[in-house]
Amino acid sequence: MIPVLYEDEHLIVVVKPDQVLSVPGKGPDKQNCLGRRVRNQSHPTARIVHRLDYATSGVMVMALTAQAHAAMSQLFQQRQVSKRYQAIISGHPTEDTGVIEQPLRCDWERRPLQIVDPVDGKSACTHWQVMERLAQATRVALTPVTGRSHQLRVHMQWLGHPIAGDAFYADEAALSLADRLLLHAEQIAFTHPITGEPIAISSPAPF
């Protein structure tokens, strides 16, 4: 059952579990995705507006009409949707807060992996802040300014503190900390594109 945190006649906000695709992949074994689950469960017209990685859990907006889909898509394109994530990263950063501005591009020989590339990469910006220092790890709040593929995962790896349980980017120490990627989209905020109402929806991290 996919939790629904907010709904009106235009939009719904749901919580995507980890290990679930946002949209169908290629092949019959990759058709069980969030979009299909929500349509089958309760909202047959629901359409995906944005995505989270397969391994990432958290808050997602879906549109219930074509008008809402177009309007929400425009908000995302214009970076008028703010998102905050929570993650547990391996080790302890020396600072308590920082900004990472490292350009990213696809690692074509190892798709879908992404890499930092100062020459050919696209601009990417992530703000991070320590929430809690644990024994072997650190809980952080991550606020992406841009929305590049795998941005938070690669930026944390670049920082030297990969996200715990990250099968793509973690070293052995970080991978051994968890049996899932400890990355959760905990809040999304935007101005409702149809009603003009300010919307801010949160879902606590399950780890």
Side-chain angles (χ1 to χ4, degrees):
M1 195 76 172
I2 301 298
V4 177
L5 302 180
Y6 170 91
E7 67 176 298
D8 61 24
E9 61 187 300
H10 311 286
L11 305 170
I12 60 170
V13 180
V14 300
V15 182
K16 185 185 91 65
D18 66 298
Q19 312 299 321
V20 172
L21 292 167
S22 295
V23 297
K26 293 180 180 178
D29 59 326
K30 294 183 175 62
Q31 300 306 300
N32 181 16
C33 61
L34 179 78
R36 179 161 292 179
R37 287 192 190 187
V38 171
R39 285 190 292 274
N40 290 342
Q41 172 181 302
S42 56
H43 294 78
T45 64
R47 298 171 63 189
I48 291 287
V49 179
H50 62 118
R51 303 182 189 187
L52 290 176
D53 292 345
Y54 170 76
T56 304
S57 59
V59 179
M60 283 185 64
V61 181
M62 299 182 72
L64 299 178
T65 67
Q67 179 192 15
H69 186 271
M72 275 305 305
S73 297
Q74 191 168 33
L75 287 186
F76 275 97
Q77 290 169 6
Q78 295 172 349
R79 297 180 186 169
Q80 293 180 2
V81 179
S82 64
K83 292 178 285 183
R84 188 179 72 228
Y85 293 72
Q86 191 174 132
I88 293 181
I89 58 176
S90 177
H92 302 106
T94 54
E95 306 293 330
D96 286 334
T97 186
V99 180
I100 301 170
E101 295 181 289
Q102 294 296 323
L104 303 175
R105 70 164 174 85
C106 181
D107 185 352
W108 295 109
E109 295 179 356
R110 299 190 302 154
R111 284 181 290 181
L113 272 63
Q114 308 290 311
I115 56 173
V116 170
D117 186 336
V119 177
D120 295 321
K122 294 181 178 179
S123 63
C125 179
T126 301
H127 294 255
W128 62 271
Q129 183 171 6
V130 170
M131 300 175 68
E132 179 185 10
R133 293 184 183 271
L134 308 169
Q136 297 176 295
T138 304
R139 187 181 296 272
V140 293
L142 304 174
T143 306
V145 177
T146 51
R148 306 297 178 198
S149 181
H150 294 184
Q151 175 177 316
L152 302 179
R153 300 165 71 172
V154 179
H155 274 176
M156 291 300 99
Q157 179 198 42
W158 176 88
L159 190 66
H161 301 280
I163 298 175
D166 192 339
F168 283 174
Y169 302 103
D171 53 21
E172 286 188 18
L175 198 55
S176 68
L177 291 173
D179 58 5
R180 61 153 286 189
L181 175 70
L182 297 189
L183 178 64
H184 180 77
E186 68 173 355
Q187 186 180 78
I188 194 162
F190 55 93
T191 299
H192 196 299
I194 309 299
T195 68
E197 176 189 3
I199 303 289
I201 308 292
S202 299
S203 166
F207 47 80

